[in-house]
Amino acid sequence: MKLHVFPPSPRAAKVLALVHHLGLDFEVAIVDLFNGGNQTPAFKALNPNGKMPVLEDDGFVLWESNAIQQYLGTKKPQSGVWPTDPRRQADVARWQFWDAAHWDPTCATFIFERVVKQMTGLGAPDAAQVAKAETDFARFAPVLNATLKGRRWVTGDTLTVADFGLGGPLMYAAPAGIPLADYPEIARWYAALAELPGWKKAAPMSPR
């Protein structure tokens, strides 16, 4: 099994954290986004969107990080990270869709404006973009914060791919200035996620 990733990316890190957590054997192929590694003919043959991560497994090619996480979960069903019960699956998938539609784009704006631009010399943060991200975060973070109250993980007592997905961008919470101070349940939950051995193996690959 091969994972095509750019480790500084939260979308790569969350997949790497999960594969480490599950103890799966895999090979890493680095896709250097800063130097056009995602636009080569060889890579676009794997994912015509020119985005990573991409998984290859015995001739099967899969892109989109949340789909990859579900697939990885099927490798170790006993782990519970991708449930087998249809209602549990739907609950986990609900949070993955919410992540893709709301949480990830909002957090990604903070990361791009305050981290990526600095890393790549693209200039100062765009104040209008940061302000929009702050507005969106104030709308969506209370939803996650309220859900986590009284729960260890996002969907209950069992760690799932939803936790890995939602936690990915928070690897950059401090340098990106993601405003977690008013959301203690999110901070508590992420602190527990960050202590997972698999998470620790992936997180150091992201610059702080």
Side-chain angles (χ1 to χ4, degrees):
M1 186 166 63
K2 180 185 290 187
L3 286 169
H4 299 261
V5 292
F6 185 54
S9 166
R11 292 166 193 148
K14 69 184 186 181
V15 170
L16 291 169
L18 179 60
V19 78
H20 283 305
H21 176 75
L22 294 173
L24 299 173
D25 291 328
F26 69 104
E27 175 187 352
V28 167
I30 300 297
V31 183
D32 188 351
L33 299 186
F34 291 163
N35 290 293
N38 57 319
Q39 297 301 321
T40 66
F43 184 76
K44 294 194 81 171
L46 295 173
N47 184 358
N49 299 290
K51 294 180 179 289
M52 64 85 238
V54 175
L55 176 146
E56 287 187 273
D57 187 19
D58 194 24
F60 176 58
V61 178
L62 184 65
W63 34 267
E64 289 298 323
S65 58
N66 287 337
I68 291 171
Q69 290 192 303
Q70 290 182 6
Y71 180 75
L72 292 172
T74 67
K75 298 280 188 177
K76 289 285 183 75
Q78 68 275 20
S79 71
V81 297
W82 180 236
T84 55
D85 175 76
R87 292 188 178 185
R88 289 277 296 133
Q89 276 189 357
D91 190 20
V92 172
R94 174 240 306 273
W95 284 102
Q96 290 187 293
F97 292 135
W98 184 84
D99 172 33
H102 306 302
W103 184 252
D104 182 84
T106 301
C107 293
T109 300
F110 288 115
I111 295 168
F112 178 74
E113 294 296 334
R114 292 172 170 166
V115 179
V116 175
K117 280 188 170 182
Q118 183 179 25
M119 290 170 61
T120 57
L122 290 176
D126 183 323
Q129 289 297 315
V130 172
K132 182 181 185 305
E134 289 172 342
T135 298
D136 290 343
F137 196 82
R139 175 184 176 190
F140 299 124
V143 176
L144 180 58
N145 196 72
T147 296
L148 286 166
K149 191 171 184 178
R151 293 183 177 186
R152 184 178 182 188
W153 304 111
V154 173
T155 62
D157 292 332
T158 302
L159 179 71
T160 72
V161 295
D163 297 285
F164 283 88
L166 292 164
L170 299 186
M171 291 180 178
Y172 286 95
I178 297 175
L180 293 181
D182 293 333
Y183 306 104
E185 297 297 335
I186 296 177
R188 169 194 57 79
W189 158 79
Y190 181 69
L193 193 62
E195 286 301 311
L196 296 174
W199 197 268
K200 289 180 177 181
K201 287 181 180 180
M205 300 178 79
S206 302
R208 302 254 175 180

